Amino acid sequence: MSGRLSTRLSRLLNMVPYFLAHPGISAAEAADDLGVTTKQLMSDLNQLWMCGLPGYGPGDLIDLSFSEESIEVTFSAGMDRPLRLTSTEATALLVALRSLADLPGMVDPSAAHSAGAKIESAIAGVPAHAPAAPVARVEAPAVTAVRSALAGNRALRLVYYSASRDVVSERVVDPIRIVLVDNNSYLQAWCRQAEGVRLFRLDRIEEAVELPEPARPPSHATDEAAALDLFSGDSAVPLARLRIHPDYAWVLDQYPMQRIAAYPDGSVEATMRFATLDWMARLLLGFGSGVTVSGPPELVSAVRERSSAALEAYRALADTDLARPAIEEVGPA
């Protein structure tokens, strides 16, 4: 979850008890107390108005009477009472907390483990004042630096391993947020070297140093929907055109491909953006005859050349084996 979304969620959760304690307060006063603009507050109230308990009928949703002059909660849907979890709900929450703690950068692992320990204590009936077992902090220093830079709005110097190019590079970035893509957490940032938004997988950041200068990503780069795709739909990134055999249709689910046509024999034509020619050629060779490339020309040539080199290597190996003298095995006399 991004920092902006988590902040809004916390604000929404606190709004019901806040307005119950301040009935009839004006939007301007409430916005000032909550640290938001009046426009943002009214947007939050419209969102809150559609929240409530499962069932989500008129008697389950939070009900509000609000305008810029006066705001009042007319039905709290239980938000004014202490939370009581069933054993099933508590178990689900514990599993979610542990999953988050295992994903680099998504949350402070110490905070997640501490919350989990408190829930476990409550389930087991341990008094709330009982000391919790100490929790070891296992977060990588680079991930800690990334979270700190995001919280302080600071630029970062990264040493990063790129799996697609098999190289380690150093670059300065302006952090935007942490996102979750295919069960991996990434730092979304404006890369000053590439002059574009990039995703950096947190477990591949070898070193991160928080710089004393503020992060200044361009305004268009900070949009929530920006750059959640690994290649951002950037037209400058090469686009491969592929013909996929019916037996290899699974690759459409495993790789970021866009299907553009289907044929009577069951094969599918698709496109896929790639970072480097060498990486894409190696990927396609791994599919054998299951995936055929038709463009761009330089990728077709790279695949053809690598295929020819591989066949030649096999022929040379076969010739070597044939040239070896046969060894006659003689059994016991």
Side-chain angles (χ1 to χ4, degrees), residues 56-175:
Y56 308 110
D60 303 310
L61 296 177
I62 294 169
D63 202 4
L64 305 164
S65 172
F66 61 94
S67 65
E68 292 199 5
E69 288 73 34
S70 175
I71 303 167
E72 190 168 351
V73 177
T74 55
F75 179 64
S76 67
M79 290 289 289
D80 54 341
R81 299 192 302 271
L83 179 63
R84 293 288 184 267
L85 296 176
T86 66
S87 59
T88 302
E89 291 170 337
T91 301
L93 185 57
L94 279 172
V95 171
L97 278 171
R98 287 169 180 167
S99 298
L100 283 173
D102 289 339
L103 288 169
M106 298 305 293
V107 295
D108 182 338
S110 295
H113 285 301
S114 175
K118 291 176 182 177
I119 295 171
E120 288 177 334
S121 297
I123 295 172
V126 179
H129 55 76
V135 177
R137 188 179 183 88
V138 295
E139 188 172 55
V143 177
T144 302
V146 168
R147 290 197 303 102
S148 175
L150 276 166
N153 192 35
R154 297 286 184 181
L156 277 168
R157 177 176 289 108
L158 302 181
V159 176
Y160 184 72
Y161 169 67
S162 175
S164 64
R165 292 181 293 161
D166 193 26
V167 296
V168 175
S169 62
E170 182 175 331
R171 61 189 77 197
V172 175
V173 303
D174 297 295

Side-chain angles (χ1 to χ4, degrees), residues 130-319:
V135 177
R137 188 179 183 88
V138 295
E139 188 172 55
V143 177
T144 302
V146 168
R147 290 197 303 102
S148 175
L150 276 166
N153 192 35
R154 297 286 184 181
L156 277 168
R157 177 176 289 108
L158 302 181
V159 176
Y160 184 72
Y161 169 67
S162 175
S164 64
R165 292 181 293 161
D166 193 26
V167 296
V168 175
S169 62
E170 182 175 331
R171 61 189 77 197
V172 175
V173 303
D174 297 295
I176 299 172
R177 61 180 67 88
I178 292 175
V179 296
L180 187 65
V181 180
D182 293 335
N183 295 320
N184 288 304
S185 45
Y186 292 81
L187 168 66
Q188 182 184 347
W190 177 264
C191 177
R192 298 182 184 178
Q193 177 180 320
E195 296 187 342
V197 176
R198 295 293 184 267
L199 294 181
F200 301 94
R201 198 164 125 172
L202 289 185
D203 59 359
R204 291 178 182 161
I205 297 177
E206 298 188 355
E207 183 181 342
V209 178
E210 187 175 353
L211 301 178
E213 58 184 287
R216 295 192 181 92
S219 58
H220 69 270
T222 58
D223 181 73
E224 284 284 345
L228 294 185
D229 188 296
L230 292 176
F231 299 116
S232 311
D234 187 350
S235 59
V237 178
L239 184 69
R241 194 177 186 95
L242 312 170
R243 181 76 172 260
I244 301 167
H245 189 275
D247 293 340
Y248 282 73
W250 55 268
V251 303
L252 292 163
D253 298 321
Q254 297 294 320
Y255 297 91
M257 296 182 179
Q258 297 289 326
R259 75 175 69 205
I260 56 175
Y263 297 97
D265 64 354
S267 64
V268 173
E269 191 167 3
T271 59
M272 176 179 168
R273 294 199 181 275
F274 58 95
T276 65
L277 193 66
D278 181 67
W279 180 87
M280 192 65 183
R282 283 190 283 115
L283 176 69
L284 294 174
L285 285 171
F287 297 137
S289 60
V291 178
T292 305
V293 58
S294 58
E298 57 270 23
L299 180 58
V300 175
S301 298
V303 171
R304 183 178 292 120
E305 289 169 7
R306 282 175 169 266
S307 300
S308 299
L311 290 172
E312 187 60 38
Y314 277 117
R315 290 192 193 100
L317 182 61
D319 292 342

